[in-house]
């Protein structure tokens, strides 16, 4: 059972990592929480993958900063909120025809804006 659990955690960690990386370019996929989830899966399944993730030049700093300070840099907040709202507004105006879906998109974007802005700011 222990081996099966480790394999499942490793698979789930990789899936979280891949979806988190996609979240860098796709607006409504939360990158940081998925990277943190991948780190949590890797720490319980593979020391090698966990160390690789924390020392990765692209993701490691964000995970370490969040773990140490429970926050993100001000630049990341501004970029995240800006990209979120630009993509939501574009989608609501030019792509989505249904008013209910537009309202739902604005509600989701508002929640994530609140969530991002309420994280500690690392200077």
């Amino acid at each position: 059972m222990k081996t099966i659990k480790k394999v499942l955690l490793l698979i789930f960690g990789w899936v979280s990592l891949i979806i988190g990386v996609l979240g860098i370019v796709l607006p409504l996929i939360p990158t940081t929480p998925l990277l943190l989830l991948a780190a949590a899966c890797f720490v319980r399944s593979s020391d090698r993958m966990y160390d690789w993730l924390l020392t990765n030049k692209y993701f490691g700093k964000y995970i370490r900063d969040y773990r140490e300070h429970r926050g993100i840099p001000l630049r990341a907040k501004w970029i995240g909120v800006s990209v979120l709202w630009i993509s939501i507004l574009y989608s609501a105006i030019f792509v989505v025809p249904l008013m209910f879906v537009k309202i739902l998109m604005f509600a989701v974007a508002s929640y994530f804006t609140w969530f991002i802005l309420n994280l500690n700011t690392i200077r």
Side-chain angles (χ1 to χ4, degrees), residues 16 19-21 23-24 29-39 53 59 61-67 70-73 76-77 115-116 119:
S16 298
I19 295 172
V21 170
I24 294 170
I29 298 176
T31 301
T32 302
L34 287 169
L35 292 177
L36 294 171
L37 179 60
L53 191 59
F59 318 122
K61 183 179 183 326
Y62 291 105
I63 296 169
R64 286 189 310 272
D65 282 349
Y66 188 82
R67 289 186 65 221
R70 293 282 186 225
I72 59 176
K77 283 185 176 189
F115 179 80
I116 290 168
L119 290 172

Side-chain angles (χ1 to χ4, degrees), residues 3 12 23 31 34-35 43 49 53 56 63 76 85 96-97 105 107-108 110 114 117 122:
T3 305
F12 197 60
T31 301
L34 287 169
L35 292 177
V43 78
M49 290 308 307
L53 191 59
N56 185 286
I63 296 169
W85 280 101
V96 177
M105 289 169 53
V108 169
S110 297
W114 172 84
L117 295 179
I122 301 171

Side-chain angles (χ1 to χ4, degrees), residues 29-117:
I29 298 176
T31 301
T32 302
L34 287 169
L35 292 177
L36 294 171
L37 179 60
C41 291
F42 290 154
V43 78
R44 290 169 179 79
S45 63
S46 170
D47 291 336
R48 193 175 105 217
M49 290 308 307
Y50 181 69
D51 291 339
W52 172 80
L53 191 59
L54 287 182
T55 57
N56 185 286
K57 70 178 186 177
Y58 301 109
F59 318 122
K61 183 179 183 326
Y62 291 105
I63 296 169
R64 286 189 310 272
D65 282 349
Y66 188 82
R67 289 186 65 221
E68 293 171 12
H69 306 289
R70 293 282 186 225
I72 59 176
L74 183 60
R75 182 173 187 266
K77 283 185 176 189
W78 282 109
I79 290 171
V81 170
S82 298
V83 169
L84 173 69
W85 280 101
I86 288 169
S87 60
I88 291 295
L89 288 171
Y90 176 82
S91 297
I93 294 169
F94 298 111
V95 178
V96 177
L98 300 172
M99 184 56 73
F100 171 75
V101 176
K102 290 180 183 187
I103 292 169
L104 183 62
M105 289 169 53
F106 284 117
V108 169
S110 297
Y111 169 77
F112 279 108
T113 299
W114 172 84
F115 179 80
I116 290 168
L117 295 179

Side-chain angles (χ1 to χ4, degrees), residues 15-30:
V15 169
S16 298
L17 178 63
I18 291 167
I19 295 172
V21 170
L22 289 174
I24 294 170
V25 293
L26 299 173
L28 285 179
I29 298 176

